[in-house]
Amino acid sequence: MESVKTLELRVKQCIINRLGLDVSADEIEDDAPLFGEGLGLDSIDALELVIAIGKEFDVAIGDDDMGIFQSVNRICEFIRTARPEL
């Protein structure tokens, strides 16, 4: 089983790589908002993240799950629920 920090770091790296962000993983706070005043992501970014997170962690993200993109913590919570072995 992976450590808690490892999953958060993997999620951050996935976000940075998929969206081509010019920030380091250390600059993204686990509970900071990803949209609006947070990282400033928009709806197009959300669609990119559905694909990236889905592929990277082998999880299905449906329309009802879009609230997971509020923060890194929420994404990790979703992944841990869908894939407890991670």
Side-chain angles (χ1 to χ4, degrees):
M1 184 172 189
E2 294 188 43
S3 73
V4 171
K5 279 298 168 197
T6 301
L7 182 58
E8 276 78 5
L9 182 59
R10 283 182 62 197
V11 168
K12 290 175 186 181
Q13 284 303 134
C14 185
I15 293 168
I16 291 167
N17 293 341
R18 183 63 182 224
L19 302 179
L21 301 178
D22 191 22
V23 298
S24 70
D26 293 340
E27 294 177 82
I28 302 173
E29 294 180 35
D30 293 348
D31 59 350
L34 298 177
F35 293 85
E37 71 271 356
L39 284 180
L41 304 184
D42 61 25
S43 59
I44 300 297
D45 296 326
L47 296 175
E48 289 288 329
L49 291 180
V50 166
I51 296 165
I53 297 294
K55 280 184 176 182
E56 177 73 23
F57 298 100
D58 194 26
V59 294
I61 303 169
D63 291 342
D64 293 342
D65 301 318
M66 294 306 286
I68 70 165
F69 294 111
Q70 291 176 5
S71 68
V72 170
N73 281 340
R74 290 288 305 273
I75 296 170
C76 291
E77 184 180 299
F78 177 83
I79 293 168
R80 287 188 184 101
T81 300
R83 303 273 320 275
E85 72 276 13
L86 294 179

